[in-house]
Amino acid sequence: MAHPNRRDLGLLVLRVGTGAVLAAHGTQKLFGWFGGGGIEGTAGAMSAMGFHPPRESAIAAGLGEAGGGVLLALGLATPAAGAAAAGAMAGAVSVHAPAGFFAQAGGYEYPAFLGFTAAAIGITGAGRYSLDHATCHVLDRPWVVATAFLGSAIAAAAVVGRRAQGRAAAAADAVADAGADAGADAGADAGADAGEPDDH
């Protein structure tokens, strides 16, 4: 009788655990489950965080997490699943990065860990106890790995870059508005001073 392969069992546990966590977060965004905001609430949060268009960003993040998580847990199309989840986590990392690394300070520790774990599973493969193995790895070829991770990297870079540009533009507008308000206040004060009678 053949004994279970420890590596494959370990991959199964890692896949199911990581996939379940990602799927739970994704369903919060998509359906409002587990106390989440659903599409509308997530879109509002995305807008506040600088992701545009916000509704499409919410859907993409939810699908990346929920879809990637479910596929990782099943071990189906594992490279695409890992790449999608890692890409979604890259966006989350960009939001938390200003707070530093550690989660206790609001940093990016947690999404980075999930992203690296998902990426590692996608690159390593799902192992024997998976739907990829059952389907003779038809969706787990080397070209799928390369294509999935390249596509995810390009998409994540575009989304994060667009957010950074938008936030920079908003900050510049805020500075300009503050300068205009200060100039207007100074002009008003000067006008008021000029209109006062000279007591001397």
Side-chain angles (χ1 to χ4, degrees):
M1 179 177 177
H3 293 285
N5 185 293
R6 289 173 57 190
R7 175 183 176 277
D8 291 319
L9 281 175
L11 280 170
L12 174 64
V13 173
L14 185 62
R15 279 186 8 244
V16 171
T18 304
V21 171
L22 285 164
H25 279 286
T27 56
Q28 285 182 312
K29 293 178 174 65
L30 293 175
F31 311 119
W33 295 355
F34 309 114
I39 291 296
E40 298 307 322
T42 304
M46 287 287 187
S47 180
M49 290 184 286
F51 290 100
H52 294 286
R55 183 178 177 83
E56 288 76 2
S57 297
I59 293 172
L63 288 176
E65 293 176 8
V70 169
L71 290 175
L72 281 176
L74 295 173
L76 179 63
T78 306
M89 290 301 101
V93 166
S94 74
V95 172
H96 292 276
F101 176 72
F102 291 103
Q104 66 190 30
Y108 61 91
E109 175 184 11
Y110 181 61
F113 178 76
L114 281 177
F116 278 119
T117 303
I121 297 170
I123 292 170
T124 302
R128 184 185 306 172
Y129 309 116
S130 66
L131 291 181
D132 275 337
H133 181 76
T135 57
C136 299
H137 298 278
V138 67
L139 298 175
D140 186 25
R141 306 293 187 191
W143 68 266
V144 177
V145 177
T147 302
F149 277 93
L150 179 61
S152 179
I154 292 172
V159 169
V160 171
R162 186 167 61 234
R163 174 179 181 266
Q165 290 175 352
R167 289 176 66 83
D173 289 343
V175 170
D177 290 343
D181 291 343
D185 291 343
D189 290 343
D193 291 343
E196 292 178 356
D198 191 350
D199 293 334
H200 298 291

